[in-house]
Amino acid sequence: VTGTENLMMAAALAEGETRRVYAYAESANTYIAGVHNADAGAGGAEFTYRYQVGFEPMSRSSETEPNDMGQPASFPAVIEGTISSDQDVDAYTFTTTVAVTVDAVLTKGFRQAQVELRDDTGAVLGLSDGALFDTQLMPGTYQVRIGAAVGRAYELVIHPCR
């Protein structure tokens, strides 16, 4: 994390609900993670939770236009890009050699851009604004496409779920 920028992610959970919350840190440093109960500090056995923190190295790259058809990306990866026009779509192609569950998440910049995941036949496996979570993939080649965010910079993180 550079400067005074904070890595703050929040998730409101209903009873019995499970949710992953991810933050990407650009450099080795000391970070503080915590859990807060918004219900007036109520706690005890009826308010239990599971908290897991993990770290994984990722390669960092930037988009290179033209990339509408699929710029190769490593997996896992952190990619910086910008949607430059109404017709611009940024596409990144990655390969997995094992069955894996992946997330594709916009973590910085414009986080509401359209995120789409396709298989090697072009079939859409997932479409969402800002993030695709828990998408199960078989070994193969896949493409993540970013669009609908003209003039906006973004950071895309593609990684396996743990």
Side-chain angles (χ1 to χ4, degrees):
V1 176
T2 58
T4 60
E5 181 179 350
N6 293 320
L7 278 177
M8 182 178 284
M9 306 293 254
L13 301 179
E15 184 176 344
E17 184 180 6
T18 301
R19 185 170 304 160
R20 289 190 176 108
V21 179
Y22 293 97
Y24 169 72
E26 291 184 20
S27 62
N29 206 333
T30 300
Y31 297 94
I32 298 171
V35 175
H36 171 71
N37 182 338
D39 290 333
E46 65 272 14
F47 295 98
T48 61
Y49 60 88
R50 180 177 160 194
Y51 192 82
Q52 180 178 346
V53 177
F55 301 95
E56 62 183 277
M58 294 188 195
S59 69
R60 178 178 273 297
S61 62
S62 297
E63 73 164 317
T64 304
E65 292 289 358
N67 65 345
D68 295 0
M69 299 307 291
Q71 174 179 328
S74 59
F75 178 70
V78 177
I79 306 163
E80 295 176 340
T82 301
I83 302 298
S84 58
S85 73
D86 289 337
Q87 294 78 35
D88 188 19
V89 173
D90 292 346
Y92 305 98
T93 303
F94 68 95
T95 300
T96 178
T97 58
V98 296
V100 65
T101 302
V102 302
D103 290 344
V105 182
L106 297 174
T107 58
K108 286 187 180 175
F110 189 67
R111 294 185 215 175
Q112 288 77 40
Q114 187 178 75
V115 178
E116 180 180 273
L117 178 65
R118 295 182 179 190
D119 67 14
D120 60 353
T121 69
V124 176
L125 303 176
L127 177 65
S128 181
D129 288 338
L132 291 171
F133 292 111
D134 296 327
T135 305
Q136 296 179 0
L137 304 178
M138 297 305 294
T141 300
Y142 298 89
Q143 187 177 85
V144 175
R145 299 171 63 83
I146 309 298
V150 178
R152 301 292 191 115
Y154 62 85
E155 179 179 83
L156 171 67
V157 176
I158 307 169
H159 64 93
C161 299
R162 298 280 181 217

